[in-house]
Amino acid sequence: MDRFALCRALEEAGVPAASYEIADCPGRHRAADRYFLDGHDGDWSVGVHERGTRQVFERFTDEGEACRWIHDRLLGGEPTATDTVPGDPAGPEPDPEALRRQAEDDLEAALAELCRRAAEQPGREHPGEPVEGDGPA
C-alpha cells in the first residue's frame, strides 16, 4: 500500500479527512489534532500533529510500513486487498460515526502515550515540548 492507496482506503471507509494529513494527498480542513504521514524516498515519519507541533512516533524506510501504521490507528487491523484495488467491493459499509469516534479515541490514546514518554525523558521541563529530532521531516 502506498500513501495514495491509503488516502483512497480512508476516504472509502468514511474516516473524516480532518483527522489525518498524508503527504501529497489532497486535503480539506484539518483538525487541530490529527495523525500525519510525511516523507519520501525511504524516509517516512508518522505521528501526531497537536497544537501546532508535530510529534514523530515512528520512522520507517518503507512507505508501505508507514501507511500500515496510520491505517492501523485510523481503521484498526491490517489493510485488506480491497484497500489497494480501487473499485473492488469492500463489503458492508462501515458506520462513519463509529469510525470517527474510534479515530478520536485512538488519537487521545496516542497523545496520552506521547505525554507519558515525555514525562519519562530527563531534562524536559514541559511534556508538550518536542523531543530533539521530533520536528517535521
Side-chain angles (χ1 to χ4, degrees):
M1 170 184 288
D2 66 12
R3 62 192 179 279
F4 303 106
L6 174 62
C7 289
R8 286 190 302 273
L10 294 174
E11 184 177 333
E12 288 172 5
V15 176
S19 63
Y20 58 87
E21 176 183 351
I22 299 173
D24 301 324
C25 290
R28 295 169 281 284
H29 169 73
R30 302 281 186 220
D33 297 339
R34 61 188 177 271
Y35 283 103
F36 72 87
L37 181 151
D38 196 17
H40 54 80
D41 299 331
D43 183 22
W44 299 92
S45 57
V46 294
V48 174
H49 182 107
E50 178 188 29
R51 291 179 270 172
T53 302
R54 284 185 175 206
Q55 299 296 319
V56 174
F57 283 178
E58 300 282 341
R59 293 189 185 280
F60 299 93
T61 57
D62 180 72
E63 180 179 1
E65 289 178 20
C67 289
R68 280 187 291 281
W69 190 96
I70 293 287
H71 185 280
D72 289 351
R73 267 107 197 128
L74 291 170
L75 290 174
E78 288 294 313
T80 63
T82 59
D83 291 333
T84 59
V85 181
D88 277 0
E93 285 290 316
D95 175 19
E97 183 61 24
L99 286 172
R100 184 191 62 74
R101 283 191 307 271
Q102 183 64 50
E104 287 175 357
D105 290 347
D106 290 346
L107 181 58
E108 285 209 21
L111 293 173
E113 173 66 12
L114 174 65
C115 288
R116 185 193 64 73
R117 286 183 186 180
E120 290 176 354
Q121 291 185 356
R124 289 194 58 191
E125 295 179 19
H126 303 287
E129 289 178 347
V131 175
E132 187 174 322
D134 277 358

